[in-house]
Amino acid sequence: DALPILHAVNAAAAFEAKDYALALRKLRYDAEHGDAAAPYRLYSLYQKGDVIEKNVNEAGKWLRLAAERGSGDAQFWLGVNLLDAKEGFAANKSEAFTWMTRAADKRAADSLFWLGHMYQYGYGTARDLDLAEKYFKLADADGRADAKEKLAEVQKARAGRN
């Protein structure tokens, strides 16, 4: 019976041993049995294509599952892919905004910056320069190098509006 064997396998050890087929089977097993981290790892493997063949459809499937299971990084990347119609996703700015908001609630990756950008231009939401400024300030506080530049753009746009 394969289930007890896969249950006992350590995916990281299988990768280290370069047994990619076993590692992939283990990650799939874990993802299909509720593991929160495995879907994001599968997304990464299929998206990069360095250890297994790149497959944007498989990557997208696992990215969405990881986002649904609460991974802030997955929520961020799902938002980016939906915003820009990347990695096999159709553009859906409204859904992108939803996922980016969830990622920003977790302060994941560059989600604060991207959420500021979405408010600045009204991508997936109403344009709101006050909220754009808020999120660019938070991104700046988190060390995003270009957040100050975007903050200046928002302040200039606000001044031009008055």
Side-chain angles (χ1 to χ4, degrees), residues 13 19 24 34 53 61 68 76 95 100 124 137 150 161:
D19 188 344
L24 188 60
E53 187 176 336
K61 175 179 94 173
E68 289 168 354
F76 168 73
E95 187 181 0
M100 197 61 69
K137 283 181 178 178
K150 296 298 284 182
R161 189 179 63 185

Side-chain angles (χ1 to χ4, degrees), residues 1-80:
D1 185 54
L3 293 181
I5 294 170
L6 278 179
H7 181 70
V9 168
N10 179 309
F15 272 107
E16 193 171 308
K18 298 194 184 329
D19 188 344
Y20 302 126
L22 178 60
L24 188 60
R25 281 198 325 268
K26 171 59 174 168
L27 285 172
R28 281 183 172 277
Y29 172 85
D30 288 349
E32 291 165 355
H33 288 86
D35 183 273
Y40 189 73
R41 181 75 172 123
L42 284 164
Y43 153 71
S44 182
L45 289 169
Y46 281 112
Q47 188 269 335
K48 290 178 184 172
D50 54 359
V51 192
I52 59 175
E53 187 176 336
K54 183 173 180 148
N55 184 325
V56 295
N57 292 326
E58 279 294 304
K61 175 179 94 173
W62 294 114
L63 178 62
R64 186 171 291 280
L65 181 60
E68 289 168 354
R69 288 193 181 160
S71 165
D73 289 338
Q75 292 167 343
F76 168 73
W77 284 111
L78 183 55
V80 168

